Amino acid sequence: MFIPDGDDYRICPQCGLDCEPAPFDSAGAGIRVSFICPAHGVHTVVDPFADTR
C-alpha cells in the first residue's frame, strides 16, 4: 500500500492541526483518502492504491 513518507500529509499547512482522514470520491477514478482541516477544508488527497494502478 502507498503511504507517503512521514505524517506531513495529515498536518494542515495553515494551522498545524493533525487532521482526520475521510473518503474522497474522485468522480469515477476510484476512491481516495482526503485529510480535512475543520477550519480550512481539504488540504491533502492520498491515493492508497496508486502502486496497483
mmCIF file of all heavy atoms in Angstrom:
data_model
loop_
_atom_site.group_PDB
_atom_site.id
_atom_site.type_symbol
_atom_site.label_atom_id
_atom_site.label_comp_id
_atom_site.label_asym_id
_atom_site.label_seq_id
_atom_site.Cartn_x
_atom_site.Cartn_y
_atom_site.Cartn_z
ATOM 1 N N MET A 1 0.843 -1.176 0.000
ATOM 2 C CA MET A 1 0.000 0.000 0.000
ATOM 3 C C MET A 1 0.892 1.244 0.000
ATOM 4 O O MET A 1 1.920 1.286 0.657
ATOM 5 C CB MET A 1 -0.915 -0.008 1.222
ATOM 6 C CG MET A 1 -1.776 1.219 1.282
ATOM 7 S SD MET A 1 -3.242 1.172 2.334
ATOM 8 C CE MET A 1 -2.695 0.569 3.849
ATOM 9 N N PHE A 2 0.476 2.264 -0.735
ATOM 10 C CA PHE A 2 1.210 3.532 -0.807
ATOM 11 C C PHE A 2 0.963 4.357 0.442
ATOM 12 O O PHE A 2 -0.169 4.637 0.794
ATOM 13 C CB PHE A 2 0.752 4.333 -2.032
ATOM 14 C CG PHE A 2 1.294 5.719 -2.075
ATOM 15 C CD1 PHE A 2 2.607 5.939 -2.426
ATOM 16 C CD2 PHE A 2 0.508 6.794 -1.746
ATOM 17 C CE1 PHE A 2 3.116 7.219 -2.457
ATOM 18 C CE2 PHE A 2 1.001 8.077 -1.764
ATOM 19 C CZ PHE A 2 2.314 8.289 -2.133
ATOM 20 N N ILE A 3 2.035 4.705 1.125
ATOM 21 C CA ILE A 3 1.945 5.599 2.282
ATOM 22 C C ILE A 3 3.030 6.649 2.125
ATOM 23 O O ILE A 3 4.203 6.311 1.982
ATOM 24 C CB ILE A 3 2.131 4.841 3.604
ATOM 25 C CG1 ILE A 3 1.049 3.774 3.749
ATOM 26 C CG2 ILE A 3 2.118 5.800 4.788
ATOM 27 C CD1 ILE A 3 1.211 2.872 4.938
ATOM 28 N N PRO A 4 2.670 7.932 2.105
ATOM 29 C CA PRO A 4 3.685 8.978 1.965
ATOM 30 C C PRO A 4 4.690 8.933 3.116
ATOM 31 O O PRO A 4 4.385 8.461 4.204
ATOM 32 C CB PRO A 4 2.872 10.276 2.025
ATOM 33 C CG PRO A 4 1.473 9.878 1.730
ATOM 34 C CD PRO A 4 1.330 8.454 2.195
ATOM 35 N N ASP A 5 5.906 9.413 2.852
ATOM 36 C CA ASP A 5 6.928 9.480 3.891
ATOM 37 C C ASP A 5 6.496 10.450 4.981
ATOM 38 O O ASP A 5 6.035 11.547 4.696
ATOM 39 C CB ASP A 5 8.261 9.940 3.307
ATOM 40 C CG ASP A 5 8.849 8.913 2.361
ATOM 41 O OD1 ASP A 5 8.513 7.723 2.498
ATOM 42 O OD2 ASP A 5 9.643 9.297 1.481
ATOM 43 N N GLY A 6 6.645 10.046 6.227
ATOM 44 C CA GLY A 6 6.294 10.914 7.350
ATOM 45 C C GLY A 6 4.796 11.083 7.490
ATOM 46 O O GLY A 6 4.004 10.445 6.811
ATOM 47 N N ASP A 7 4.408 11.956 8.385
ATOM 48 C CA ASP A 7 2.990 12.231 8.631
ATOM 49 C C ASP A 7 2.586 13.624 8.183
ATOM 50 O O ASP A 7 1.511 14.098 8.535
ATOM 51 C CB ASP A 7 2.682 12.082 10.123
ATOM 52 C CG ASP A 7 2.728 10.631 10.582
ATOM 53 O OD1 ASP A 7 2.499 9.744 9.744
ATOM 54 O OD2 ASP A 7 2.980 10.401 11.773
ATOM 55 N N ASP A 8 3.419 14.289 7.395
ATOM 56 C CA ASP A 8 3.135 15.658 6.972
ATOM 57 C C ASP A 8 1.842 15.776 6.177
ATOM 58 O O ASP A 8 1.202 16.822 6.185
ATOM 59 C CB ASP A 8 4.285 16.230 6.153
ATOM 60 C CG ASP A 8 5.534 16.461 6.989
ATOM 61 O OD1 ASP A 8 5.414 16.476 8.241
ATOM 62 O OD2 ASP A 8 6.605 16.619 6.409
ATOM 63 N N TYR A 9 1.439 14.719 5.493
ATOM 64 C CA TYR A 9 0.214 14.760 4.702
ATOM 65 C C TYR A 9 -1.024 14.930 5.584
ATOM 66 O O TYR A 9 -2.061 15.351 5.123
ATOM 67 C CB TYR A 9 0.082 13.510 3.828
ATOM 68 C CG TYR A 9 -0.005 12.219 4.614
ATOM 69 C CD1 TYR A 9 -1.236 11.660 4.907
ATOM 70 C CD2 TYR A 9 1.137 11.563 5.054
ATOM 71 C CE1 TYR A 9 -1.335 10.487 5.632
ATOM 72 C CE2 TYR A 9 1.063 10.395 5.761
ATOM 73 C CZ TYR A 9 -0.176 9.858 6.054
ATOM 74 O OH TYR A 9 -0.255 8.697 6.763
ATOM 75 N N ARG A 10 -0.914 14.613 6.874
ATOM 76 C CA ARG A 10 -2.041 14.747 7.801
ATOM 77 C C ARG A 10 -2.150 16.145 8.407
ATOM 78 O O ARG A 10 -3.186 16.516 8.931
ATOM 79 C CB ARG A 10 -1.887 13.760 8.963
ATOM 80 C CG ARG A 10 -1.986 12.319 8.583
ATOM 81 C CD ARG A 10 -1.850 11.456 9.825
ATOM 82 N NE ARG A 10 -2.866 11.765 10.801
ATOM 83 C CZ ARG A 10 -3.975 11.049 10.992
ATOM 84 N NH1 ARG A 10 -4.197 9.974 10.265
ATOM 85 N NH2 ARG A 10 -4.849 11.410 11.903
ATOM 86 N N ILE A 11 -1.072 16.912 8.363
ATOM 87 C CA ILE A 11 -0.984 18.199 9.061
ATOM 88 C C ILE A 11 -1.436 19.346 8.149
ATOM 89 O O ILE A 11 -0.942 19.496 7.042
ATOM 90 C CB ILE A 11 0.464 18.477 9.507
ATOM 91 C CG1 ILE A 11 1.012 17.291 10.267
ATOM 92 C CG2 ILE A 11 0.563 19.786 10.277
ATOM 93 C CD1 ILE A 11 0.716 17.198 11.706
ATOM 94 N N CYS A 12 -2.369 20.166 8.631
ATOM 95 C CA CYS A 12 -2.821 21.335 7.879
ATOM 96 C C CYS A 12 -1.658 22.330 7.773
ATOM 97 O O CYS A 12 -1.084 22.722 8.794
ATOM 98 C CB CYS A 12 -4.009 21.995 8.577
ATOM 99 S SG CYS A 12 -4.550 23.525 7.765
ATOM 100 N N PRO A 13 -1.307 22.735 6.562
ATOM 101 C CA PRO A 13 -0.183 23.662 6.399
ATOM 102 C C PRO A 13 -0.472 25.070 6.917
ATOM 103 O O PRO A 13 0.448 25.846 7.151
ATOM 104 C CB PRO A 13 0.067 23.675 4.890
ATOM 105 C CG PRO A 13 -1.216 23.244 4.279
ATOM 106 C CD PRO A 13 -1.873 22.339 5.280
ATOM 107 N N GLN A 14 -1.741 25.413 7.116
ATOM 108 C CA GLN A 14 -2.084 26.756 7.581
ATOM 109 C C GLN A 14 -2.094 26.883 9.092
ATOM 110 O O GLN A 14 -1.661 27.896 9.635
ATOM 111 C CB GLN A 14 -3.436 27.179 7.009
ATOM 112 C CG GLN A 14 -3.381 27.360 5.509
ATOM 113 C CD GLN A 14 -4.722 27.751 4.941
ATOM 114 O OE1 GLN A 14 -5.762 27.277 5.384
ATOM 115 N NE2 GLN A 14 -4.699 28.634 3.961
ATOM 116 N N CYS A 15 -2.612 25.845 9.792
ATOM 117 C CA CYS A 15 -2.741 25.983 11.247
ATOM 118 C C CYS A 15 -2.004 24.911 12.042
ATOM 119 O O CYS A 15 -1.898 25.012 13.250
ATOM 120 C CB CYS A 15 -4.212 26.020 11.651
ATOM 121 S SG CYS A 15 -5.101 24.483 11.331
ATOM 122 N N GLY A 16 -1.529 23.849 11.370
ATOM 123 C CA GLY A 16 -0.754 22.822 12.047
ATOM 124 C C GLY A 16 -1.558 21.736 12.739
ATOM 125 O O GLY A 16 -0.991 20.905 13.436
ATOM 126 N N LEU A 17 -2.890 21.713 12.563
ATOM 127 C CA LEU A 17 -3.708 20.660 13.166
ATOM 128 C C LEU A 17 -3.454 19.316 12.491
ATOM 129 O O LEU A 17 -3.227 19.242 11.287
ATOM 130 C CB LEU A 17 -5.198 20.984 13.032
ATOM 131 C CG LEU A 17 -5.769 22.050 13.943
ATOM 132 C CD1 LEU A 17 -7.239 22.290 13.604
ATOM 133 C CD2 LEU A 17 -5.627 21.655 15.398
ATOM 134 N N ASP A 18 -3.510 18.248 13.283
ATOM 135 C CA ASP A 18 -3.462 16.894 12.751
ATOM 136 C C ASP A 18 -4.881 16.545 12.333
ATOM 137 O O ASP A 18 -5.777 16.463 13.173
ATOM 138 C CB ASP A 18 -2.954 15.932 13.809
ATOM 139 C CG ASP A 18 -2.837 14.506 13.304
ATOM 140 O OD1 ASP A 18 -2.747 14.301 12.078
ATOM 141 O OD2 ASP A 18 -2.843 13.585 14.138
ATOM 142 N N CYS A 19 -5.120 16.357 11.047
ATOM 143 C CA CYS A 19 -6.473 16.217 10.511
ATOM 144 C C CYS A 19 -6.872 14.761 10.337
ATOM 145 O O CYS A 19 -6.041 13.896 10.067
ATOM 146 C CB CYS A 19 -6.578 16.957 9.190
ATOM 147 S SG CYS A 19 -6.201 18.703 9.381
ATOM 148 N N GLU A 20 -8.148 14.497 10.475
ATOM 149 C CA GLU A 20 -8.711 13.162 10.347
ATOM 150 C C GLU A 20 -8.902 12.792 8.873
ATOM 151 O O GLU A 20 -9.252 13.639 8.052
ATOM 152 C CB GLU A 20 -10.058 13.091 11.052
ATOM 153 C CG GLU A 20 -9.960 13.237 12.548
ATOM 154 C CD GLU A 20 -9.235 12.075 13.208
ATOM 155 O OE1 GLU A 20 -9.453 10.920 12.808
ATOM 156 O OE2 GLU A 20 -8.436 12.342 14.114
ATOM 157 N N PRO A 21 -8.704 11.509 8.539
ATOM 158 C CA PRO A 21 -8.956 11.056 7.167
ATOM 159 C C PRO A 21 -10.449 10.919 6.899
ATOM 160 O O PRO A 21 -11.239 10.665 7.814
ATOM 161 C CB PRO A 21 -8.271 9.694 7.120
ATOM 162 C CG PRO A 21 -8.236 9.238 8.528
ATOM 163 C CD PRO A 21 -8.156 10.463 9.384
ATOM 164 N N ALA A 22 -10.825 11.094 5.640
ATOM 165 C CA ALA A 22 -12.209 10.926 5.205
ATOM 166 C C ALA A 22 -12.205 10.416 3.761
ATOM 167 O O ALA A 22 -11.305 10.744 2.993
ATOM 168 C CB ALA A 22 -12.951 12.252 5.278
ATOM 169 N N PRO A 23 -13.194 9.597 3.374
ATOM 170 C CA PRO A 23 -13.264 9.140 1.979
ATOM 171 C C PRO A 23 -13.449 10.320 1.029
ATOM 172 O O PRO A 23 -14.091 11.309 1.374
ATOM 173 C CB PRO A 23 -14.501 8.242 1.947
ATOM 174 C CG PRO A 23 -14.942 8.065 3.336
ATOM 175 C CD PRO A 23 -14.294 9.099 4.179
ATOM 176 N N PHE A 24 -12.864 10.215 -0.159
ATOM 177 C CA PHE A 24 -12.952 11.270 -1.164
ATOM 178 C C PHE A 24 -13.291 10.609 -2.490
ATOM 179 O O PHE A 24 -12.521 9.800 -3.005
ATOM 180 C CB PHE A 24 -11.606 11.993 -1.258
ATOM 181 C CG PHE A 24 -11.575 13.128 -2.238
ATOM 182 C CD1 PHE A 24 -12.001 14.386 -1.877
ATOM 183 C CD2 PHE A 24 -11.100 12.931 -3.526
ATOM 184 C CE1 PHE A 24 -11.958 15.439 -2.783
ATOM 185 C CE2 PHE A 24 -11.055 13.977 -4.439
ATOM 186 C CZ PHE A 24 -11.482 15.227 -4.062
ATOM 187 N N ASP A 25 -14.451 10.906 -3.044
ATOM 188 C CA ASP A 25 -14.869 10.346 -4.327
ATOM 189 C C ASP A 25 -14.263 11.174 -5.443
ATOM 190 O O ASP A 25 -14.556 12.357 -5.571
ATOM 191 C CB ASP A 25 -16.390 10.333 -4.426
ATOM 192 C CG ASP A 25 -16.882 9.684 -5.704
ATOM 193 O OD1 ASP A 25 -16.068 9.180 -6.488
ATOM 194 O OD2 ASP A 25 -18.108 9.684 -5.910
ATOM 195 N N SER A 26 -13.439 10.534 -6.251
ATOM 196 C CA SER A 26 -12.749 11.275 -7.313
ATOM 197 C C SER A 26 -13.447 11.123 -8.660
ATOM 198 O O SER A 26 -12.803 10.949 -9.685
ATOM 199 C CB SER A 26 -11.292 10.847 -7.398
ATOM 200 O OG SER A 26 -11.218 9.462 -7.632
ATOM 201 N N ALA A 27 -14.756 11.178 -8.657
ATOM 202 C CA ALA A 27 -15.584 11.193 -9.872
ATOM 203 C C ALA A 27 -15.273 10.039 -10.826
ATOM 204 O O ALA A 27 -14.932 10.230 -11.978
ATOM 205 C CB ALA A 27 -15.451 12.526 -10.580
ATOM 206 N N GLY A 28 -15.373 8.826 -10.306
ATOM 207 C CA GLY A 28 -15.204 7.655 -11.152
ATOM 208 C C GLY A 28 -13.776 7.168 -11.300
ATOM 209 O O GLY A 28 -13.538 6.139 -11.911
ATOM 210 N N ALA A 29 -12.807 7.857 -10.764
ATOM 211 C CA ALA A 29 -11.401 7.443 -10.868
ATOM 212 C C ALA A 29 -10.968 6.649 -9.638
ATOM 213 O O ALA A 29 -9.780 6.519 -9.375
ATOM 214 C CB ALA A 29 -10.511 8.662 -11.064
ATOM 215 N N GLY A 30 -11.911 6.138 -8.875
ATOM 216 C CA GLY A 30 -11.595 5.360 -7.683
ATOM 217 C C GLY A 30 -11.701 6.181 -6.418
ATOM 218 O O GLY A 30 -11.923 7.383 -6.452
ATOM 219 N N ILE A 31 -11.517 5.505 -5.325
ATOM 220 C CA ILE A 31 -11.621 6.165 -4.027
ATOM 221 C C ILE A 31 -10.258 6.685 -3.596
ATOM 222 O O ILE A 31 -9.237 6.081 -3.887
ATOM 223 C CB ILE A 31 -12.208 5.199 -2.962
ATOM 224 C CG1 ILE A 31 -12.610 5.925 -1.701
ATOM 225 C CG2 ILE A 31 -11.252 4.074 -2.662
ATOM 226 C CD1 ILE A 31 -13.877 6.712 -1.815
ATOM 227 N N ARG A 32 -10.256 7.802 -2.958
ATOM 228 C CA ARG A 32 -9.051 8.403 -2.394
ATOM 229 C C ARG A 32 -9.345 8.709 -0.928
ATOM 230 O O ARG A 32 -10.479 8.633 -0.479
ATOM 231 C CB ARG A 32 -8.690 9.725 -3.092
ATOM 232 C CG ARG A 32 -8.592 9.660 -4.598
ATOM 233 C CD ARG A 32 -7.360 8.899 -5.039
ATOM 234 N NE ARG A 32 -7.076 9.108 -6.456
ATOM 235 C CZ ARG A 32 -7.509 8.345 -7.437
ATOM 236 N NH1 ARG A 32 -8.282 7.323 -7.185
ATOM 237 N NH2 ARG A 32 -7.174 8.581 -8.682
ATOM 238 N N VAL A 33 -8.315 9.043 -0.175
ATOM 239 C CA VAL A 33 -8.472 9.444 1.215
ATOM 240 C C VAL A 33 -8.068 10.906 1.308
ATOM 241 O O VAL A 33 -6.978 11.283 0.880
ATOM 242 C CB VAL A 33 -7.592 8.586 2.153
ATOM 243 C CG1 VAL A 33 -7.730 9.041 3.588
ATOM 244 C CG2 VAL A 33 -7.954 7.116 2.013
ATOM 245 N N SER A 34 -8.971 11.714 1.827
ATOM 246 C CA SER A 34 -8.661 13.135 1.983
ATOM 247 C C SER A 34 -8.433 13.441 3.458
ATOM 248 O O SER A 34 -8.909 12.728 4.337
ATOM 249 C CB SER A 34 -9.795 14.003 1.446
ATOM 250 O OG SER A 34 -10.978 13.775 2.174
ATOM 251 N N PHE A 35 -7.675 14.489 3.699
ATOM 252 C CA PHE A 35 -7.462 14.972 5.059
ATOM 253 C C PHE A 35 -8.038 16.370 5.116
ATOM 254 O O PHE A 35 -7.654 17.245 4.339
ATOM 255 C CB PHE A 35 -5.978 14.923 5.427
ATOM 256 C CG PHE A 35 -5.506 13.505 5.547
ATOM 257 C CD1 PHE A 35 -5.050 12.816 4.453
ATOM 258 C CD2 PHE A 35 -5.588 12.850 6.757
ATOM 259 C CE1 PHE A 35 -4.655 11.495 4.555
ATOM 260 C CE2 PHE A 35 -5.199 11.520 6.877
ATOM 261 C CZ PHE A 35 -4.720 10.845 5.769
ATOM 262 N N ILE A 36 -9.002 16.552 6.036
ATOM 263 C CA ILE A 36 -9.797 17.772 6.075
ATOM 264 C C ILE A 36 -9.577 18.497 7.395
ATOM 265 O O ILE A 36 -9.828 17.952 8.466
ATOM 266 C CB ILE A 36 -11.293 17.448 5.915
ATOM 267 C CG1 ILE A 36 -11.511 16.649 4.630
ATOM 268 C CG2 ILE A 36 -12.123 18.711 5.927
ATOM 269 C CD1 ILE A 36 -12.891 16.068 4.497
ATOM 270 N N CYS A 37 -9.125 19.724 7.282
ATOM 271 C CA CYS A 37 -8.980 20.586 8.455
ATOM 272 C C CYS A 37 -10.355 21.192 8.744
ATOM 273 O O CYS A 37 -11.002 21.696 7.826
ATOM 274 C CB CYS A 37 -7.966 21.694 8.165
ATOM 275 S SG CYS A 37 -7.824 22.904 9.502
ATOM 276 N N PRO A 38 -10.814 21.153 9.986
ATOM 277 C CA PRO A 38 -12.123 21.725 10.294
ATOM 278 C C PRO A 38 -12.196 23.228 10.019
ATOM 279 O O PRO A 38 -13.263 23.754 9.734
ATOM 280 C CB PRO A 38 -12.325 21.447 11.782
ATOM 281 C CG PRO A 38 -11.139 20.703 12.261
ATOM 282 C CD PRO A 38 -10.183 20.544 11.138
ATOM 283 N N ALA A 39 -11.075 23.906 10.060
ATOM 284 C CA ALA A 39 -11.064 25.358 9.837
ATOM 285 C C ALA A 39 -10.766 25.739 8.393
ATOM 286 O O ALA A 39 -11.243 26.765 7.912
ATOM 287 C CB ALA A 39 -10.033 26.015 10.750
ATOM 288 N N HIS A 40 -9.983 24.913 7.659
ATOM 289 C CA HIS A 40 -9.504 25.316 6.334
ATOM 290 C C HIS A 40 -9.922 24.391 5.194
ATOM 291 O O HIS A 40 -9.589 24.648 4.046
ATOM 292 C CB HIS A 40 -7.980 25.436 6.363
ATOM 293 C CG HIS A 40 -7.513 26.438 7.365
ATOM 294 N ND1 HIS A 40 -6.924 26.063 8.548
ATOM 295 C CD2 HIS A 40 -7.590 27.777 7.374
ATOM 296 C CE1 HIS A 40 -6.639 27.151 9.248
ATOM 297 N NE2 HIS A 40 -7.042 28.204 8.566
ATOM 298 N N GLY A 41 -10.606 23.297 5.478
ATOM 299 C CA GLY A 41 -11.085 22.398 4.433
ATOM 300 C C GLY A 41 -10.039 21.375 4.006
ATOM 301 O O GLY A 41 -9.029 21.163 4.676
ATOM 302 N N VAL A 42 -10.286 20.747 2.865
ATOM 303 C CA VAL A 42 -9.396 19.697 2.343
ATOM 304 C C VAL A 42 -8.037 20.298 2.002
ATOM 305 O O VAL A 42 -7.949 21.314 1.323
ATOM 306 C CB VAL A 42 -9.998 19.042 1.084
ATOM 307 C CG1 VAL A 42 -9.026 18.056 0.471
ATOM 308 C CG2 VAL A 42 -11.312 18.365 1.401
ATOM 309 N N HIS A 43 -6.975 19.635 2.466
ATOM 310 C CA HIS A 43 -5.629 20.113 2.130
ATOM 311 C C HIS A 43 -4.778 19.037 1.488
ATOM 312 O O HIS A 43 -3.793 19.340 0.829
ATOM 313 C CB HIS A 43 -4.921 20.697 3.362
ATOM 314 C CG HIS A 43 -4.733 19.711 4.471
ATOM 315 N ND1 HIS A 43 -3.718 18.800 4.492
ATOM 316 C CD2 HIS A 43 -5.466 19.505 5.579
ATOM 317 C CE1 HIS A 43 -3.807 18.071 5.589
ATOM 318 N NE2 HIS A 43 -4.876 18.474 6.269
ATOM 319 N N THR A 44 -5.140 17.751 1.633
ATOM 320 C CA THR A 44 -4.373 16.673 1.037
ATOM 321 C C THR A 44 -5.324 15.571 0.593
ATOM 322 O O THR A 44 -6.264 15.243 1.302
ATOM 323 C CB THR A 44 -3.373 16.083 2.053
ATOM 324 O OG1 THR A 44 -2.529 17.122 2.536
ATOM 325 C CG2 THR A 44 -2.517 14.996 1.443
ATOM 326 N N VAL A 45 -5.041 14.980 -0.575
ATOM 327 C CA VAL A 45 -5.780 13.803 -1.044
ATOM 328 C C VAL A 45 -4.738 12.747 -1.390
ATOM 329 O O VAL A 45 -3.809 13.009 -2.156
ATOM 330 C CB VAL A 45 -6.658 14.125 -2.269
ATOM 331 C CG1 VAL A 45 -7.349 12.868 -2.773
ATOM 332 C CG2 VAL A 45 -7.687 15.200 -1.927
ATOM 333 N N VAL A 46 -4.882 11.542 -0.794
ATOM 334 C CA VAL A 46 -3.921 10.473 -0.965
ATOM 335 C C VAL A 46 -4.612 9.322 -1.687
ATOM 336 O O VAL A 46 -5.753 8.981 -1.381
ATOM 337 C CB VAL A 46 -3.415 9.991 0.412
ATOM 338 C CG1 VAL A 46 -2.474 8.811 0.268
ATOM 339 C CG2 VAL A 46 -2.733 11.128 1.146
ATOM 340 N N ASP A 47 -3.912 8.695 -2.638
ATOM 341 C CA ASP A 47 -4.418 7.514 -3.328
ATOM 342 C C ASP A 47 -3.712 6.306 -2.733
ATOM 343 O O ASP A 47 -2.559 6.023 -3.057
ATOM 344 C CB ASP A 47 -4.128 7.614 -4.823
ATOM 345 C CG ASP A 47 -4.666 6.436 -5.605
ATOM 346 O OD1 ASP A 47 -5.172 5.466 -4.989
ATOM 347 O OD2 ASP A 47 -4.582 6.454 -6.842
ATOM 348 N N PRO A 48 -4.373 5.564 -1.834
ATOM 349 C CA PRO A 48 -3.716 4.430 -1.192
ATOM 350 C C PRO A 48 -3.455 3.254 -2.132
ATOM 351 O O PRO A 48 -2.728 2.338 -1.778
ATOM 352 C CB PRO A 48 -4.682 4.038 -0.073
ATOM 353 C CG PRO A 48 -6.000 4.546 -0.513
ATOM 354 C CD PRO A 48 -5.732 5.758 -1.352
ATOM 355 N N PHE A 49 -4.031 3.295 -3.330
ATOM 356 C CA PHE A 49 -3.863 2.205 -4.284
ATOM 357 C C PHE A 49 -3.062 2.624 -5.511
ATOM 358 O O PHE A 49 -3.081 1.941 -6.536
ATOM 359 C CB PHE A 49 -5.234 1.673 -4.703
ATOM 360 C CG PHE A 49 -6.067 1.245 -3.536
ATOM 361 C CD1 PHE A 49 -7.131 2.013 -3.112
ATOM 362 C CD2 PHE A 49 -5.765 0.090 -2.835
ATOM 363 C CE1 PHE A 49 -7.897 1.643 -2.021
ATOM 364 C CE2 PHE A 49 -6.534 -0.293 -1.737
ATOM 365 C CZ PHE A 49 -7.599 0.484 -1.331
ATOM 366 N N ALA A 50 -2.341 3.715 -5.439
ATOM 367 C CA ALA A 50 -1.583 4.240 -6.582
ATOM 368 C C ALA A 50 -0.585 3.226 -7.135
ATOM 369 O O ALA A 50 -0.402 3.141 -8.344
ATOM 370 C CB ALA A 50 -0.873 5.520 -6.194
ATOM 371 N N ASP A 51 0.022 2.439 -6.267
ATOM 372 C CA ASP A 51 1.040 1.493 -6.727
ATOM 373 C C ASP A 51 0.447 0.285 -7.427
ATOM 374 O O ASP A 51 1.157 -0.485 -8.066
ATOM 375 C CB ASP A 51 1.928 1.063 -5.573
ATOM 376 C CG ASP A 51 1.151 0.369 -4.454
ATOM 377 O OD1 ASP A 51 -0.067 0.568 -4.353
ATOM 378 O OD2 ASP A 51 1.791 -0.380 -3.690
ATOM 379 N N THR A 52 -0.882 0.090 -7.367
ATOM 380 C CA THR A 52 -1.518 -1.033 -8.028
ATOM 381 C C THR A 52 -2.198 -0.651 -9.330
ATOM 382 O O THR A 52 -2.741 -1.521 -10.011
ATOM 383 C CB THR A 52 -2.552 -1.699 -7.094
ATOM 384 O OG1 THR A 52 -3.580 -0.769 -6.800
ATOM 385 C CG2 THR A 52 -1.906 -2.196 -5.824
ATOM 386 N N ARG A 53 -2.177 0.590 -9.693
ATOM 387 C CA ARG A 53 -2.823 1.032 -10.947
ATOM 388 C C ARG A 53 -1.826 1.040 -12.084
ATOM 389 O O ARG A 53 -0.715 1.302 -11.995
ATOM 390 C CB ARG A 53 -3.384 2.442 -10.792
ATOM 391 C CG ARG A 53 -4.507 2.503 -9.818
ATOM 392 C CD ARG A 53 -5.127 3.892 -9.832
ATOM 393 N NE ARG A 53 -5.606 4.322 -8.552
ATOM 394 C CZ ARG A 53 -6.744 3.896 -8.003
ATOM 395 N NH1 ARG A 53 -7.505 3.071 -8.617
ATOM 396 N NH2 ARG A 53 -7.110 4.337 -6.826
#
